Amino acid sequence: MNQASPFTPAERLESLKAALCGATCAGLLSLAQLISHRWPLTSLPPLRDLLSSLAGLTLLVTGAIALLSGALFALTYRYAIRRDDNPQLKAGVVLAFTLVRGLAQVDAGSAITQNFWPFFAACGESLVLFGGCAIALNLALRWQWLQPFGEK
């Protein structure tokens, strides 16, 4: 019963590449979302006002959470899809991460009194985040920058 571990150094390198891809994509998408919350399209403040509102602990914590979430999503996504071309499986991984992250961000009591809109908003942002990561990972797999689990 001594089987060789599928986690070879080549597989670990591919996992690292996937995690970096997911973290980068999630970080950029999270930054774009944060900017869109601070900078409404109806009135464009000077760039220095935007940068001063983004400076600080909120940006660092939000960015760190997005990077970690994107990396963990990418690792899970790579292992879940393997060589399978099942769109329901891919969408299921995205939806699972979307619901966990989106629903965890919202205070239930407040959301219920606001007709559930905070739930929809948080899940929508998480769907953009993880959907974007899935698109980036699928492109990396298609262009063979990244290999599915079990390919090396």
Side-chain angles (χ1 to χ4, degrees):
M1 289 277 209
N2 263 352
Q3 294 180 357
S5 173
F7 299 102
T8 63
E11 284 295 341
R12 288 186 179 105
L13 180 61
E14 290 299 314
S15 292
L16 178 63
K17 288 170 32 180
L20 289 174
C21 178
T24 301
C25 184
L28 293 173
L29 287 170
S30 179
L31 181 62
Q33 288 175 351
L34 192 61
I35 288 172
S36 73
H37 290 300
R38 298 262 201 297
W39 196 349
L41 295 178
T42 56
S43 63
L44 299 176
L47 185 58
R48 98 179 113 70
D49 290 349
L50 174 66
L51 293 176
S52 68
S53 72
L54 290 175
L57 192 57
T58 301
L59 178 65
L60 292 175
V61 171
T62 302
I65 291 170
L67 291 172
L68 181 61
S69 297
L72 291 173
F73 169 79
L75 288 170
T76 304
Y77 191 80
R78 179 173 177 261
Y79 290 126
I81 65 166
R82 299 182 185 233
R83 284 167 261 159
D84 199 347
D85 197 26
N86 183 344
Q88 288 89 7
L89 179 62
K90 292 177 180 182
V93 175
V94 172
L95 185 60
F97 270 79
T98 295
L99 289 175
V100 169
R101 183 177 186 267
L103 296 177
Q105 292 177 324
V106 178
D107 174 45
S110 173
I112 290 169
T113 61
Q114 296 177 36
N115 295 325
F116 296 94
W117 281 110
F119 286 126
F120 297 129
C123 287
E125 288 179 359
S126 293
L127 182 61
V128 168
L129 190 78
F130 296 122
C133 286
I135 290 169
L137 289 166
N138 285 329
L139 286 174
L141 288 166
R142 182 179 303 148
W143 294 334
Q144 297 181 348
W145 293 344
L146 187 62
Q147 300 297 318
F149 181 70
E151 288 283 317
K152 285 236 173 199

